[in-house]
């Protein structure tokens, strides 16, 4: 008889609750706490952190190269393709900046200082010393030795090389480019499988990390979680109304009319936290709404990799949440450099369970922020993943309509819809 498997999100939640319970127990038994923390709980959490660090460089490198070179055919390099990518980068960059602004204003991680669990030294590449100029920071991103940069986990340097390499691969003749892309896609898919293996261990890692935190700090360390959830929902609502709403108004599109037209897909994305599940229906709905089929067939699939508004928004909030949680102050220059990191690492973060944790891990690692903060986010991420996924879908539904207006390529039905 087949025993139903508990979904990963519930496993993580169970690990979180058990870790809280054990941590609270150890908090009241200080004589037992050191042995349990040093010999069992801390190693369990450290294993998860090391596993996450292990996959960051290969998965980000492979995805970046495939994402750039894989869309390097004539169609993608045409006017629509270039403008689509410019639109995606502009909107996701705006989402990251909005997330950082809201995170700075509302400070979801403030109120609990966990700095004693981890040294709080920020080590952004090229930053940290006041004497460094903008030119020195930019020069510091370019690696002298890409192998050394990968070994040291210098993510911005790896991303710089990945972009250059992807552009170079994209210009190769098809006969030479195709085999290399096939290998890199295989590497990417293999790393996705490795990610799934690591995520299978994540409930144990979350259990260990949260137990250590509660054992040392008590229940007060959990207070920022509720604030993080609230801030995330507020940020998503504000981004939808003001950013996507403004884009829609400038393009002459009714955002609420579009939301009513795709309400079933938005509800499914929200409830399942899966945007890939609604892509076929979404494309049909957009065509029936009046978007040119040829444009929809290109913009929507590419947008699923490059236009993740909700994920980008949460990336900014989540990074600041961890920094605030550990009492680490990120300067304006640090955050500006983080925007570059987030913009690049967020591309290709679609469809793989737990991949947002890889992206967040990459961002935290590039800033020298403690990856232990992921334990807090992992336990409640499902509550935030639902609205961010719905926002991803809405952003990808709006994109082809905006680009159609931008290109002025409208049939009679589209003209009626947009006007």
């Amino acid at each position: 008889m087949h025993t139903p498997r508990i979904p990963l999100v519930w496993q993580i939640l169970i690990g979180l609750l058990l870790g809280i319970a054990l941590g609270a127990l150890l908090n009241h038994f200080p004589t037992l706490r050191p042995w349990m923390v040093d010999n069992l709980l801390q190693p369990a959490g450290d294993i998860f952190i090391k596993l996450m660090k292990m996959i960051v460089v290969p998965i980000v490198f492979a995805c970046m190269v495939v994402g750039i070179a894989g869309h390097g055919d004539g169609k993608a390099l045409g006017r629509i393709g270039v403008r689509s990518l410019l639109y995606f980068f502009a909107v996701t960059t705006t989402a990251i900046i909005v997330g950082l602004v809201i995170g700075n204003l509302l400070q979801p991680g403030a109120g609990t200082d966990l700095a004693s669990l981890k040294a709080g030294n920020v080590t952004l590449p090229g930053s940290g010393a006041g004497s460094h100029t903008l030119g020195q920071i930019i020069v510091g991103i370019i690696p002298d030795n890409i192998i050394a940069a990968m070994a040291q986990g210098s993510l911005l340097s790896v991303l710089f090389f990945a972009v250059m390499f992807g552009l170079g691969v994209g210009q190769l003749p098809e006969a030479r480019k195709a085999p290399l892309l096939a290998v890199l896609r295989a590497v990417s898919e293999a790393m996705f499988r490795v990610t799934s293996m690591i995520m299978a261990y994540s409930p144990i890692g979350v259990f260990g990390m949260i137990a250590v935190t509660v054992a040392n700090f008590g229940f007060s360390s959990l207070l920022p979680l509720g604030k993080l959830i609230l801030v995330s929902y507020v940020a998503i609502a504000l981004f939808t109304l003001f950013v996507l709403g403004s884009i829609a108004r400038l393009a002459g599109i009714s955002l609420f009319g579009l939301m009513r037209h795709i309400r079933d897909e938005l509800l499914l994305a929200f409830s399942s936290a899966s945007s890939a599940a609604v892509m076929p229906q979404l494309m049909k709905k957009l065509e029936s709404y009046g978007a040119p089929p040829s444009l929809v067939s290109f913009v929507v699939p590419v947008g699923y990799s490059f236009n993740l508004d909700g994920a980008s928004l949460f990336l900014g909030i989540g990074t600041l949440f961890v920094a605030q949680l550990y009492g680490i102050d990120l300067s304006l220059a640090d955050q500006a450099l983080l925007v570059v990191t987030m913009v690049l690492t967020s591309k290709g973060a679609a469809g793989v369970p737990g991949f947002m944790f890889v992206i967040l891990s990459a961002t935290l690692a590039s800033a020298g922020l403690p990856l232990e903060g992921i334990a807090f986010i992992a336990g409640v991420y499902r509550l935030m993943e639902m609205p961010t996924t719905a926002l991803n879908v809405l952003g990808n539904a709006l994109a082809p309509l905006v680009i159609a207006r931008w290109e002025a390529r409208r049939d009679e039905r589209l003209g009626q819809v947009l006007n």
Side-chain angles (χ1 to χ4, degrees), residues 122-130 132-133 136-137 140 331 333-335 337 366-367:
V122 179
T123 57
L124 276 168
S127 70
H132 283 189
T133 64
Q136 288 174 311
I137 292 174
S331 68
D334 292 333
Q335 294 186 41
L337 201 54
S366 73

Side-chain angles (χ1 to χ4, degrees), residues 56-76:
V56 164
V57 168
I59 200 169
V60 169
F61 176 78
C63 286
M64 280 298 297
V65 174
V66 170
I68 292 172
H71 292 100
D73 56 17
K75 182 178 182 180

Side-chain angles (χ1 to χ4, degrees), residues 332-361:
L332 187 61
D334 292 333
Q335 294 186 41
L337 201 54
L338 278 176
V339 170
V340 178
T341 309
M342 294 177 194
V343 168
L344 294 175
T345 54
S346 63
K347 305 310 169 197
V352 181
F355 195 69
M356 270 311 299
F357 290 112
V358 178
I359 299 302
L360 186 58
S361 297

Side-chain angles (χ1 to χ4, degrees), residues 95-289:
I96 291 168
I97 293 172
V98 169
L100 289 173
V101 169
I102 292 176
N104 278 296
L105 291 176
L106 301 182
Q107 299 197 357
T112 302
D113 189 354
L114 306 181
S116 63
L117 287 184
K118 190 78 174 180
N121 295 323
V122 179
T123 57
L124 276 168
S127 70
S131 61
H132 283 189
T133 64
L134 177 62
Q136 288 174 311
I137 292 174
I138 295 173
V139 170
I141 294 174
I142 303 173
D144 295 314
N145 185 326
I146 186 57
I147 304 301
M150 288 180 171
Q152 295 165 6
S154 301
L155 192 69
L156 280 179
S157 297
V158 173
L159 285 169
F160 177 85
F161 178 77
V163 171
M164 298 292 291
F165 188 68
L167 292 172
V169 171
Q171 295 176 19
L172 290 175
E174 188 63 31
R176 294 189 177 182
K177 178 174 70 173
L180 182 55
L181 280 178
V183 170
L184 288 170
R185 285 194 179 98
V187 170
S188 176
E189 291 172 8
M191 291 309 302
F192 291 159
R193 302 292 177 91
V194 175
T195 302
S196 297
M197 296 176 198
I198 294 172
M199 290 308 297
Y201 176 79
S202 64
I204 299 174
V206 168
F207 166 79
M209 288 187 289
I210 205 72
V212 170
T213 301
V214 177
N216 287 325
F217 293 92
F219 281 110
S220 62
S221 60
L222 303 176
L223 295 178
L225 279 178
K227 194 173 181 182
L228 173 64
I229 296 170
L230 180 61
V231 168
S232 298
Y233 276 74
V234 168
I236 289 166
L238 292 176
F239 185 84
T240 301
L241 291 174
F242 292 102
V243 178
L244 293 187
S246 298
I247 293 172
R249 279 195 299 274
L250 289 173
I253 301 166
S254 169
L255 181 64
F256 290 106
L258 175 62
M259 292 172 68
R260 284 193 298 269
H261 188 71
I262 62 169
R263 61 182 179 274
D264 293 340
E265 286 69 31
L266 291 176
L267 287 172
L268 180 58
F270 181 88
S271 59
S272 67
S274 172
S275 56
V278 302
M279 185 167 71
Q281 308 96 293
L282 181 68
M283 294 175 70
K284 291 181 180 179
K285 284 286 187 74
L286 290 174
E287 290 176 11
S288 67
Y289 196 67

Side-chain angles (χ1 to χ4, degrees), residues 42-80:
Q42 191 69 55
D46 288 345
I47 288 172
F48 180 58
I49 296 301
K50 290 178 75 67
L51 288 171
M52 294 296 286
K53 287 182 177 179
M54 178 184 73
I55 63 174
V56 164
V57 168
I59 200 169
V60 169
F61 176 78
C63 286
M64 280 298 297
V65 174
V66 170
I68 292 172
H71 292 100
D73 56 17
K75 182 178 182 180
L77 292 178
R79 185 176 61 191
I80 293 177

